[in-house]
Amino acid sequence: MKEYRYTKSLSVIVGSLTIFAAIGFGILSFIGMALSKALNTGNDNSTTDSSPVIILMILLLIGLITVMGSFKLKIKAWKIFYTGFCLVLGIGFVISFFISYGALGVKNELFILCVGIIYLCLSYLTMREK
């Protein structure tokens, strides 16, 4: 039986979900910034706000590490890093679900919770070498 078969398939799924979430966040934040400037309701503290771009890049990087990292799990150091990476992300997404409860809408909050639970399952599968 192949090692990490379930881990690889689940990591491709959750990595794709994270990349799609990043793209959706990026599109919505850029639309919001454009409407803010068009309607002249934005904050005048700075001329350019780069925080959505930074968050977009971080989420894309997390998705890419999730997808490509599962194919290098035979290296022991990478397995330890990947397990901790998935565990931290899973706990972070679940905590962000509880923090944002009632603020983002039911579909967005459930998406965040599902991605967090999938990351926790991915860290479990990585530990068990399934």
Side-chain angles (χ1 to χ4, degrees):
M1 188 173 219
K2 291 175 122 180
E3 277 188 332
Y4 301 112
R5 182 173 33 168
Y6 298 124
T7 303
K8 289 178 185 177
S9 60
L10 189 62
S11 70
V12 169
I13 292 169
V14 75
S16 301
L17 285 175
T18 306
I19 291 172
F20 288 140
I23 292 170
F25 169 77
I27 289 171
L28 289 178
S29 65
F30 289 135
I31 288 172
M33 287 180 359
L35 286 174
S36 168
K37 289 179 183 175
L39 299 174
N40 201 13
T41 59
N43 293 339
D44 292 332
N45 294 338
S46 65
T47 57
T48 59
D49 189 20
S50 63
S51 61
V53 175
I54 293 171
I55 294 172
L56 174 69
M57 292 300 160
I58 289 172
L59 284 174
L60 285 174
L61 183 67
I62 287 172
L64 287 174
I65 289 173
T66 302
V67 171
M68 292 188 299
S70 66
F71 295 102
K72 299 187 184 284
L73 288 175
K74 292 184 180 181
I75 303 169
K76 186 170 175 81
W78 183 256
K79 177 188 170 195
I80 294 169
F81 169 77
Y82 193 75
T83 304
F85 174 76
C86 292
L87 188 65
V88 167
L89 281 177
I91 291 171
F93 276 123
V94 171
I95 288 174
S96 66
F97 163 76
F98 287 115
I99 289 173
S100 68
Y101 185 73
L104 299 176
V106 176
K107 291 179 185 175
N108 292 332
E109 291 168 355
L110 287 178
F111 180 76
I112 291 171
L113 180 64
C114 288
V115 170
I117 291 172
I118 293 172
Y119 266 113
L120 290 173
C121 291
L122 186 60
S123 67
Y124 175 76
L125 286 175
T126 306
M127 283 189 294
R128 297 292 176 208
E129 299 180 3
K130 299 282 180 182

